[in-house]
Amino acid sequence: MKYLHTMVRVHDLEASLRFYCEGLGLHEVRRKEVPEGRFTLLFLAAKESPEAELELTYNWDPETYSGGRNFGHLAFEVDDIYATCDHLQGMGITINRPPRDGRMAFVRSPDDISIELLQRGDAQPAKEPWLSMANQGSW
């Protein structure tokens, strides 16, 4: 497994970039505008550890974040999304967002931290029981 990023939601993209880039010295790695979802993703990293990214998510429509909702999730890349989810489920861990697409799943830590699991490389072919499994709770 490879650590990918931590995601935080931000209210003011320019103020956040000023803080993280000018203040802390991170640099922008890539940016993705998603008009259909009305959000922007910015990935930042430190020069000394470019593989450990910080994802800033800016939702275009105003939203009040409470209860820690501005903290999004930790993300890990896994060799086999299905085997990883099988293993976690066997440990009694709820798969909140099953890997129906063969690429992405979400689980929660015992402290309710959202964890995103992403398939390394291309998505695996969709298969049961994951394909028919419904979401459980929130992630």
Short mmCIF file of all heavy atoms in Angstrom, two decimals, residues 48-71:
data_model
loop_
_atom_site.label_atom_id
_atom_site.label_comp_id
_atom_site.label_asym_id
_atom_site.label_seq_id
_atom_site.Cartn_x
_atom_site.Cartn_y
_atom_site.Cartn_z
N GLU A 48 10.58 18.31 -0.42
CA GLU A 48 11.30 17.19 0.18
C GLU A 48 10.51 15.89 0.15
O GLU A 48 11.08 14.81 0.32
CB GLU A 48 11.69 17.52 1.63
CG GLU A 48 12.69 18.63 1.76
CD GLU A 48 12.07 20.03 1.64
OE1 GLU A 48 10.82 20.15 1.62
OE2 GLU A 48 12.83 21.00 1.53
N SER A 49 9.20 15.97 -0.01
CA SER A 49 8.37 14.75 -0.03
C SER A 49 7.24 14.91 -1.06
O SER A 49 6.06 14.97 -0.69
CB SER A 49 7.81 14.45 1.35
OG SER A 49 7.13 15.57 1.87
N PRO A 50 7.59 14.95 -2.34
CA PRO A 50 6.58 15.19 -3.38
C PRO A 50 5.53 14.10 -3.48
O PRO A 50 4.44 14.34 -4.01
CB PRO A 50 7.41 15.29 -4.66
CG PRO A 50 8.66 14.53 -4.36
CD PRO A 50 8.92 14.73 -2.91
N GLU A 51 5.82 12.93 -2.96
CA GLU A 51 4.87 11.83 -3.05
C GLU A 51 3.74 11.93 -2.02
O GLU A 51 2.71 11.29 -2.16
CB GLU A 51 5.58 10.48 -2.89
CG GLU A 51 6.13 10.21 -1.51
CD GLU A 51 7.39 10.98 -1.13
OE1 GLU A 51 8.00 11.65 -1.99
OE2 GLU A 51 7.76 10.92 0.05
N ALA A 52 3.90 12.74 -1.00
CA ALA A 52 2.88 12.92 0.03
C ALA A 52 2.15 14.23 -0.24
O ALA A 52 2.64 15.30 0.08
CB ALA A 52 3.53 12.94 1.41
N GLU A 53 0.97 14.12 -0.82
CA GLU A 53 0.26 15.31 -1.27
C GLU A 53 -0.84 15.74 -0.30
O GLU A 53 -1.39 14.94 0.44
CB GLU A 53 -0.37 15.05 -2.64
CG GLU A 53 0.66 14.81 -3.73
CD GLU A 53 0.06 14.52 -5.07
OE1 GLU A 53 -1.11 14.07 -5.14
OE2 GLU A 53 0.75 14.74 -6.07
N LEU A 54 -1.14 17.02 -0.37
CA LEU A 54 -2.28 17.60 0.32
C LEU A 54 -3.27 18.01 -0.76
O LEU A 54 -2.93 18.77 -1.67
CB LEU A 54 -1.85 18.84 1.12
CG LEU A 54 -2.98 19.65 1.76
CD1 LEU A 54 -3.75 18.81 2.79
CD2 LEU A 54 -2.44 20.92 2.38
N GLU A 55 -4.49 17.49 -0.69
CA GLU A 55 -5.54 17.84 -1.64
C GLU A 55 -6.42 18.91 -1.02
O GLU A 55 -6.99 18.70 0.04
CB GLU A 55 -6.38 16.61 -1.98
CG GLU A 55 -7.60 16.93 -2.84
CD GLU A 55 -8.55 15.74 -2.99
OE1 GLU A 55 -8.11 14.59 -2.85
OE2 GLU A 55 -9.73 16.00 -3.24
N LEU A 56 -6.50 20.06 -1.68
CA LEU A 56 -7.44 21.10 -1.26
C LEU A 56 -8.67 20.98 -2.15
O LEU A 56 -8.56 21.00 -3.38
CB LEU A 56 -6.82 22.49 -1.44
CG LEU A 56 -5.53 22.79 -0.69
CD1 LEU A 56 -5.09 24.23 -0.94
CD2 LEU A 56 -5.67 22.51 0.79
N THR A 57 -9.82 20.82 -1.53
CA THR A 57 -11.07 20.75 -2.27
C THR A 57 -11.84 22.04 -2.03
O THR A 57 -12.15 22.38 -0.88
CB THR A 57 -11.91 19.54 -1.81
OG1 THR A 57 -11.19 18.35 -2.12
CG2 THR A 57 -13.26 19.51 -2.52
N TYR A 58 -12.10 22.75 -3.12
CA TYR A 58 -12.85 24.00 -3.05
C TYR A 58 -14.19 23.78 -3.73
O TYR A 58 -14.27 23.57 -4.94
CB TYR A 58 -12.08 25.13 -3.73
CG TYR A 58 -12.89 26.39 -3.85
CD1 TYR A 58 -13.21 27.14 -2.72
CD2 TYR A 58 -13.35 26.83 -5.09
CE1 TYR A 58 -13.97 28.29 -2.82
CE2 TYR A 58 -14.10 27.99 -5.20
CZ TYR A 58 -14.42 28.71 -4.06
OH TYR A 58 -15.17 29.84 -4.16
N ASN A 59 -15.27 23.78 -2.93
CA ASN A 59 -16.63 23.66 -3.47
C ASN A 59 -17.10 25.05 -3.87
O ASN A 59 -17.03 25.99 -3.08
CB ASN A 59 -17.55 23.03 -2.44
CG ASN A 59 -17.20 21.58 -2.19
OD1 ASN A 59 -17.09 20.80 -3.13
ND2 ASN A 59 -17.00 21.22 -0.94
N TRP A 60 -17.56 25.18 -5.11
CA TRP A 60 -17.91 26.49 -5.65
C TRP A 60 -19.11 27.10 -4.93
O TRP A 60 -19.22 28.33 -4.84
CB TRP A 60 -18.20 26.38 -7.14
CG TRP A 60 -17.03 25.91 -7.96
CD1 TRP A 60 -15.75 25.64 -7.50
CD2 TRP A 60 -17.02 25.62 -9.34
NE1 TRP A 60 -14.96 25.21 -8.52
CE2 TRP A 60 -15.71 25.18 -9.68
CE3 TRP A 60 -17.97 25.67 -10.34
CZ2 TRP A 60 -15.34 24.81 -10.96
CZ3 TRP A 60 -17.61 25.30 -11.62
CH2 TRP A 60 -16.30 24.89 -11.93
N ASP A 61 -20.03 26.28 -4.47
CA ASP A 61 -21.21 26.79 -3.77
C ASP A 61 -20.88 26.90 -2.28
O ASP A 61 -20.31 25.97 -1.70
CB ASP A 61 -22.40 25.86 -3.98
CG ASP A 61 -22.75 25.74 -5.47
OD1 ASP A 61 -22.75 26.77 -6.16
OD2 ASP A 61 -23.02 24.60 -5.91
N PRO A 62 -21.23 28.03 -1.66
CA PRO A 62 -20.91 28.20 -0.24
C PRO A 62 -21.51 27.09 0.62
O PRO A 62 -22.62 26.63 0.38
CB PRO A 62 -21.55 29.54 0.11
CG PRO A 62 -21.72 30.25 -1.19
CD PRO A 62 -21.93 29.17 -2.22
N GLU A 63 -20.73 26.63 1.57
CA GLU A 63 -21.16 25.57 2.48
C GLU A 63 -20.50 25.82 3.82
O GLU A 63 -19.33 26.20 3.89
CB GLU A 63 -20.72 24.21 1.91
CG GLU A 63 -21.17 23.03 2.72
CD GLU A 63 -20.76 21.70 2.11
OE1 GLU A 63 -20.43 21.64 0.92
OE2 GLU A 63 -20.76 20.72 2.86
N THR A 64 -21.24 25.59 4.89
CA THR A 64 -20.67 25.70 6.23
C THR A 64 -20.22 24.31 6.66
O THR A 64 -21.01 23.37 6.62
CB THR A 64 -21.71 26.25 7.22
OG1 THR A 64 -22.12 27.54 6.78
CG2 THR A 64 -21.13 26.34 8.62
N TYR A 65 -18.96 24.20 7.04
CA TYR A 65 -18.43 22.92 7.47
C TYR A 65 -18.42 22.88 8.99
O TYR A 65 -17.88 23.76 9.64
CB TYR A 65 -17.00 22.72 6.95
CG TYR A 65 -16.90 22.83 5.44
CD1 TYR A 65 -16.07 23.75 4.85
CD2 TYR A 65 -17.65 22.00 4.63
CE1 TYR A 65 -15.97 23.85 3.47
CE2 TYR A 65 -17.58 22.09 3.24
CZ TYR A 65 -16.73 23.02 2.67
OH TYR A 65 -16.65 23.11 1.32
N SER A 66 -19.03 21.85 9.53
CA SER A 66 -19.04 21.70 10.98
C SER A 66 -18.72 20.26 11.33
O SER A 66 -18.76 19.37 10.46
CB SER A 66 -20.41 22.09 11.55
OG SER A 66 -21.41 21.24 11.03
N GLY A 67 -18.38 20.03 12.57
CA GLY A 67 -18.11 18.68 13.02
C GLY A 67 -16.92 18.05 12.33
O GLY A 67 -16.88 16.83 12.15
N GLY A 68 -15.95 18.86 11.92
CA GLY A 68 -14.77 18.33 11.25
C GLY A 68 -14.97 18.02 9.79
O GLY A 68 -14.12 17.40 9.15
N ARG A 69 -16.09 18.44 9.19
CA ARG A 69 -16.37 18.13 7.78
C ARG A 69 -15.34 18.76 6.84
O ARG A 69 -15.18 18.31 5.71
CB ARG A 69 -17.78 18.58 7.41
CG ARG A 69 -18.08 18.36 5.94
CD ARG A 69 -19.47 17.88 5.68
NE ARG A 69 -19.83 18.06 4.29
CZ ARG A 69 -19.36 17.33 3.27
NH1 ARG A 69 -18.52 16.37 3.49
NH2 ARG A 69 -19.74 17.58 2.04
N ASN A 70 -14.63 19.79 7.30
CA ASN A 70 -13.61 20.37 6.42
C ASN A 70 -12.43 19.43 6.23
O ASN A 70 -11.71 19.52 5.26
CB ASN A 70 -13.14 21.73 6.93
CG ASN A 70 -12.55 21.64 8.31
OD1 ASN A 70 -13.05 20.91 9.17
ND2 ASN A 70 -11.49 22.37 8.55
N PHE A 71 -12.25 18.49 7.18
CA PHE A 71 -11.24 17.44 6.97
C PHE A 71 -11.91 16.36 6.16
O PHE A 71 -12.95 15.83 6.55
CB PHE A 71 -10.74 16.86 8.29
CG PHE A 71 -9.83 15.68 8.08
CD1 PHE A 71 -8.51 15.87 7.74
CD2 PHE A 71 -10.31 14.40 8.18
CE1 PHE A 71 -7.68 14.79 7.51
CE2 PHE A 71 -9.49 13.32 7.95
CZ PHE A 71 -8.17 13.51 7.62
#
